[in-house]
Amino acid sequence: MNDIQERLFRLQDVQYKAFMEKLVPNIPENTVIGVRLPDLRKFAGELVKEGKAEGFLKEVPHKYFEENHLHSFIVDKISKNFEEAILRTEEFLPYIDNWAICDSFRPKALKQNMPKLYQNVKKWLQSGEPYMIRFALVLQLNWFLEEYFKPEMLKSILQIQSEDYYVNMAISWYYSMALVKQYQEVIPLFTSKVLPVWIHNKALQKAIESRQISVEMKKYLRSLKRNRKEIDSIHGVFSAVDTEKKR
């Protein structure tokens, strides 16, 4: 065990470890130490100050879940410009293997050049790699649904075909946020029933749960829910997963 791993274990919270093991069930339990995010962010800052960050970033693949979190936080802290951030992002993406790391990895320097970032987003969407696709989707729903939104984005996401639960949940999440922020552009996808049924219904469910949608609009969205008899293969693959615990 190296020095960084030993320091992580000193920050261990056993109860939090048990919580995270259930929240991220697709990774081995023995790779989860159980360190809370504020402690990890603080530790990442300490490694940067100690001059140990660059060396740590080269030690991929990491063994522990928390090491991947450290990696993501360090990239965010040390990336000074878009070019540096995109390079470090491309280096790290192949090692992301769960939704928690994927969704928290968002280097702020990437926002310095949104047009170039969008070109990379389109590439990641077409990668065929589940967590690259999810990373691109999460970036889009956070950064590309207002000022930088383009209708073509809806079409590119509509073209994604995946049997991966975490990809399809991210697509549903994206459309639910699009209903909040780009309602007129996205509602035709629901009225024309072009989305896979599982994604269609899950997106409506998450949008209805939003506090940003009026009571009247929620009533209308409920009327668009599709019959369970229509539910396609995606539902069959993922029905055993507790969808309320996984974004």
Side-chain angles (χ1 to χ4, degrees), residues 22-34:
K22 294 178 181 178
L23 201 59
V24 191
N26 68 308
I27 61 174
E29 293 182 358
N30 62 2
T31 64
V32 180
I33 298 173

Side-chain angles (χ1 to χ4, degrees), residues 57-75:
L57 295 183
K58 295 176 182 178
E59 296 173 0
V60 288
H62 301 298
K63 179 177 180 180
Y64 292 104
F65 170 74
E66 284 79 4
E67 289 181 290
N68 283 324
H69 260 314
L70 272 182
H71 192 122
S72 70
F73 295 150
I74 288 171
V75 168

Side-chain angles (χ1 to χ4, degrees), residues 26 88 111 117 142 227 231:
N26 68 308
R88 295 186 186 279
K111 296 185 75 174
L117 176 59
N142 280 286
N227 192 297
I231 292 181

Side-chain angles (χ1 to χ4, degrees), residues 25-242:
N26 68 308
I27 61 174
E29 293 182 358
N30 62 2
T31 64
V32 180
I33 298 173
V35 183
R36 295 181 180 273
L37 290 184
D39 293 331
L40 286 171
R41 288 193 176 93
K42 181 179 178 182
F43 188 22
E46 292 172 358
L47 292 177
V48 172
K49 290 180 181 179
E50 294 168 10
K52 298 180 179 180
E54 291 287 358
F56 173 74
L57 295 183
K58 295 176 182 178
E59 296 173 0
V60 288
H62 301 298
K63 179 177 180 180
Y64 292 104
F65 170 74
E66 284 79 4
E67 289 181 290
N68 283 324
H69 260 314
L70 272 182
H71 192 122
S72 70
F73 295 150
I74 288 171
V75 168
D76 184 33
K77 288 178 180 295
I78 69 176
S79 297
K80 299 180 179 63
N81 53 55
F82 175 83
E83 288 72 21
E84 183 178 359
I86 200 69
L87 176 63
R88 295 186 186 279
T89 295
E90 295 267 40
E91 291 174 344
F92 184 49
L93 281 178
Y95 299 103
I96 296 178
D97 62 358
N98 64 86
W99 72 264
I101 302 298
C102 182
D103 294 7
S104 65
F105 182 46
R106 211 177 307 155
K108 292 186 290 293
L110 290 177
K111 296 185 75 174
Q112 292 178 10
N113 193 327
M114 295 295 281
K116 284 189 177 181
L117 176 59
Y118 180 53
Q119 296 307 310
N120 282 275
V121 163
K122 290 194 291 185
K123 179 183 70 174
W124 296 328
L125 286 177
Q126 298 172 3
S127 69
E129 296 296 325
Y131 290 103
M132 285 190 187
I133 297 172
R134 182 172 172 114
F135 178 71
L137 288 165
V138 173
L139 282 186
Q140 282 196 281
L141 70 90
N142 280 286
W143 291 351
F144 289 90
L145 273 177
E146 295 180 284
E147 179 183 357
Y148 298 100
F149 174 77
K150 298 179 180 180
E152 70 180 54
M153 295 173 178
L154 298 175
K155 296 180 181 178
S156 65
I157 293 173
L158 186 62
Q159 293 171 359
I160 298 172
Q161 295 184 1
S162 175
E163 289 294 313
D164 186 272
Y165 168 80
Y166 294 98
V167 169
N168 285 293
M169 197 59 177
I171 294 173
S172 304
W173 184 18
Y174 174 86
Y175 285 133
S176 73
M177 292 302 299
L179 283 168
V180 173
K181 298 183 177 181
Q182 295 292 339
Y183 179 84
Q184 295 298 331
E185 294 288 346
V186 76
I187 194 63
L189 297 181
F190 292 89
T191 56
S192 61
K193 299 182 179 181
V194 296
L195 299 174
V197 181
W198 190 89
I199 290 174
H200 177 107
N201 285 345
K202 182 56 63 176
L204 289 176
Q205 175 192 327
K206 294 181 76 66
I208 290 166
E209 292 170 355
S210 172
R211 295 181 179 179
Q212 300 179 65
I213 291 181
S214 69
V215 174
E216 294 77 12
M217 186 58 67
K218 288 181 180 181
K219 183 178 180 180
Y220 175 62
L221 293 180
R222 287 191 184 96
S223 74
L224 297 177
K225 187 174 180 180
R226 294 165 70 180
N227 192 297
R228 289 187 178 184
K229 292 181 180 179
E230 298 179 67
I231 292 181
D232 51 24
S233 60
I234 293 177
H235 181 274
V237 172
F238 303 114
S239 59
V241 182
D242 182 358

